[in-house]
Amino acid sequence: MKQTRYYLFLLFIGVQLRGQTSTIKNKKSLFITPEVLIGKTMEANTDFPKTKLQTSFFVSMGMHSKGSDEQWAIELGYPKTGVSLGVTNFGNTEKIGFAYTIMPFVEVGLFKKYSERWNFNIAMGASYLDTKYDPDTNPFNRAITTDINWSFRSFLYYDIVKRQKIDWRIGLGYTHFSNGHTRLPNQGLNSFLLSLSSQIGNNPEHINDKDTKQNVTKKKSSEYYFSFRTGIGQNVLSRIFNDKKEVYSTALSMGKIINRTYKFGVGGYYRFYEHYYDHINDNKELISEQVPHFRKYPYRYATNFGFFVTSELLLGHVGIEFDLGFNIYKPFYKIDWQLSQGEFYNDKYTKLGELDWYYNVKRTISSRLGIKYYLFNTYKSPVNNFFLAAHINANLGQADFSEFGVGYVYRFR
């Protein structure tokens, strides 16, 4: 499992190498976008290192889907897709350092009825950060504690100058970096940025040849599906119990795929946490004091199951998924919360996390966000399909564990 984080890079690269190849009609659809960003890194914790202006440089390579006959492109108003590569200086090279990022992206037009100049870009991927928390040499940067981290960005762009070969754009957006609860502390790095970029390449709006002419219409369709997935993840329990251990998960779901693009469903999940199991077996302090009966059935009390609703955007070989769940059974989370939210000194807890209303909400609500890569193009409605996936799982909005998984989808004709 130690190598899972490196597999994420292969997954994201694979997404771009094959995920959208069917939309490449010719080289006229390709573009490259150099981008300069400036902004501010937000303080992640008390006494966080002081920062100057944050600066970033990104190069995005992608394609226009205009002229494509794939249903997802038609449904989404012919978005742009591609991959972004970037370097970020957070404004303090000694204590926060640099981030080197790769992120697949999707960009859709906004307010198209009134203007062709507004676009919304969302991207999710992975980053290598060269400076992180160290209790001795860098104790006040509690934002990042691992080399490899999840990265996310969302930007609103406006085309100030539009030409056949180049568009000049300004943008405003947000970026986030964190490790998905694979090591603590993990406050994450959040930034708000301004952008200046130029999108270089043939603009389909100025091309009138047969390769880019839109002569297709939306096709309504509805299919039912059944899906199975299994995965292995990693997380830590608290700042004191900070070694990575595995989380094993399985889920079943079923629902409907609309217009070969929008996937909605319901399902159930089961998870087993190694950290929970070992903590019970080792009869740690809170186990003996609060829940000694856990020791009789450690496997049972280290599990979690519940129900969820799922939504997914299907983009050919690629799927972007978000789940919202309801925990029916997660008995160990009471101990988890007290440890993870507690205060300590010299590896001894001085105060435990309070079991308040916020604890009750996080114990109940789960969420999941990630990206899938399908073996067969979802636009072609294959009866049998398989996928690889990378997800971050959370208790409400707080990261629980990062996961790498595989799955199967059956479509009822």
Side-chain angles (χ1 to χ4, degrees):
M1 188 58 196
K2 182 178 179 180
Q3 295 179 339
T4 298
R5 56 189 181 182
Y6 300 108
Y7 297 158
L8 296 179
F9 279 116
L10 300 180
L11 174 64
F12 295 136
I13 293 171
V15 162
Q16 285 307 126
L17 289 180
R18 186 179 172 188
Q20 314 302 337
T21 53
S22 59
T23 66
I24 304 178
K25 300 295 184 180
N26 51 52
K27 292 182 179 179
K28 294 178 182 178
S29 68
L30 303 178
F31 64 83
I32 184 169
T33 305
E35 181 178 15
V36 177
L37 305 101
I38 59 172
K40 185 63 176 177
T41 305
M42 300 295 102
E43 292 187 1
N45 51 262
T46 303
D47 297 323
F48 190 70
K50 299 297 182 182
T51 59
K52 297 180 181 178
L53 199 67
Q54 176 179 322
T55 56
S56 301
F57 178 72
F58 274 78
V59 175
S60 300
M61 296 159 284
M63 64 195 74
H64 299 275
S65 62
K66 205 163 190 177
S68 168
D69 60 355
E70 295 215 26
Q71 191 68 27
W72 67 265
I74 302 169
E75 287 286 334
L76 298 178
Y78 298 98
K80 303 166 188 174
T81 58
V83 62
S84 297
L85 304 173
V87 179
T88 297
N89 177 350
F90 292 103
N92 185 330
T93 57
E94 180 183 358
K95 298 298 183 181
I96 307 175
F98 290 82
Y100 306 89
T101 304
I102 176 171
M103 288 189 287
F105 71 84
V106 176
E107 184 174 310
V108 297
L110 298 177
F111 321 122
K112 299 186 89 170
K113 184 177 179 179
Y114 308 100
S115 174
E116 293 287 338
R117 294 179 180 268
W118 293 95
N119 295 278
F120 178 69
N121 182 296
I122 187 168
M124 182 178 179
S127 295
Y128 172 81
L129 278 81
D130 62 8
T131 304
K132 54 185 182 293
Y133 166 83
D134 185 278
D136 299 318
T137 61
N138 197 10
F140 299 114
N141 174 10
R142 294 192 285 274
I144 297 295
T145 53
T146 57
D147 294 329
I148 304 298
N149 293 266
W150 291 92
S151 54
F152 171 84
R153 62 178 262 168
S154 59
F155 269 78
L156 179 66
Y157 290 105
Y158 179 76
D159 297 331
I160 53 177
V161 178
K162 292 176 70 68
R163 296 288 185 266
Q164 179 175 342
K165 297 289 186 180
I166 186 171
D167 292 344
W168 288 95
R169 318 196 306 166
I170 57 174
L172 174 67
Y174 161 81
T175 63
H176 172 76
F177 301 85
S178 67
N179 65 32
H181 208 69
T182 55
R183 185 170 292 278
L184 296 178
N186 179 43
Q187 300 297 108
L189 288 169
N190 299 283
S191 306
F192 294 92
L193 302 160
L194 295 172
S195 161
L196 176 64
S197 61
S198 57
Q199 193 167 97
I200 304 168
N202 288 294
N203 192 328
E205 295 175 13
H206 298 278
I207 301 173
N208 296 313
D209 63 24
K210 64 181 180 179
D211 291 320
T212 56
K213 186 181 293 185
Q214 298 182 53
N215 55 4
V216 291
T217 58
K218 292 185 178 181
K219 300 176 183 178
K220 294 184 178 181
S221 65
S222 177
E223 303 166 289
Y224 289 96
Y225 76 89
F226 168 81
S227 181
F228 165 81
R229 62 172 167 82
T230 185
I232 181 171
Q234 280 190 332
N235 75 349
V236 297
L237 186 56
S238 71
R239 290 278 298 277
I240 292 180
F241 304 103
N242 205 11
D243 52 329
K244 290 190 286 288
K245 293 188 179 181
E246 273 62 53
V247 181
Y248 302 93
S249 66
T250 301
L252 300 173
S253 62
M254 61 186 302
K256 182 179 286 190
I257 300 172
I258 300 174
N259 298 345
R260 305 186 190 181
T261 305
Y262 310 107
K263 184 179 174 185
F264 302 99
V266 296
Y269 56 83
Y270 171 86
R271 296 165 179 169
F272 172 78
Y273 292 75
E274 275 195 354
H275 255 301
Y276 294 179
Y277 181 83
D278 292 344
H279 209 78
I280 296 170
N281 260 349
D282 294 341
N283 197 26
K284 297 296 185 180
E285 185 175 350
L286 293 188
I287 301 299
S288 59
E289 290 180 357
Q290 297 186 17
V291 286
H293 60 284
F294 279 18
R295 293 204 65 206
K296 189 174 181 180
Y297 302 105
Y299 189 91
R300 176 200 298 179
Y301 292 110
T303 60
N304 162 223
F305 60 82
F307 299 100
F308 65 95
V309 293
T310 180
S311 60
E312 186 176 348
L313 188 63
L314 299 175
L315 309 174
H317 288 273
V318 180
I320 301 172
E321 182 179 49
F322 174 73
D323 297 349
L324 190 64
F326 183 86
N327 287 319
I328 301 298
Y329 184 79
K330 196 172 184 180
F332 194 92
Y333 190 66
K334 174 185 177 182
I335 307 299
D336 185 332
W337 175 269
Q338 292 179 88
L339 296 176
S340 62
Q341 303 300 312
E343 300 175 4
F344 60 91
Y345 179 74
N346 287 340
D347 290 342
K348 295 290 183 180
Y349 279 97
T350 59
K351 181 182 178 181
L352 297 175
E354 295 183 14
L355 301 176
D356 53 12
W357 66 271
Y358 196 42
Y359 152 74
N360 285 313
V361 172
K362 289 205 168 186
R363 178 191 62 180
T364 305
I365 305 299
S366 66
S367 58
R368 194 166 182 268
L369 174 67
I371 188 169
K372 294 179 178 178
Y373 175 71
Y374 288 92
L375 179 61
F376 304 114
N377 193 329
T378 58
Y379 164 71
K380 298 180 179 179
S381 296
V383 175
N384 301 288
N385 210 342
F386 303 87
F387 62 82
L388 300 174
H391 284 79
I392 183 168
N393 297 266
N395 300 303
L396 192 58
Q398 182 182 20
D400 186 10
F401 64 95
S402 297
E403 178 188 21
F404 181 77
V406 297
Y408 166 78
V409 179
Y410 178 84
R411 294 199 195 196
F412 298 91
R413 290 291 182 151

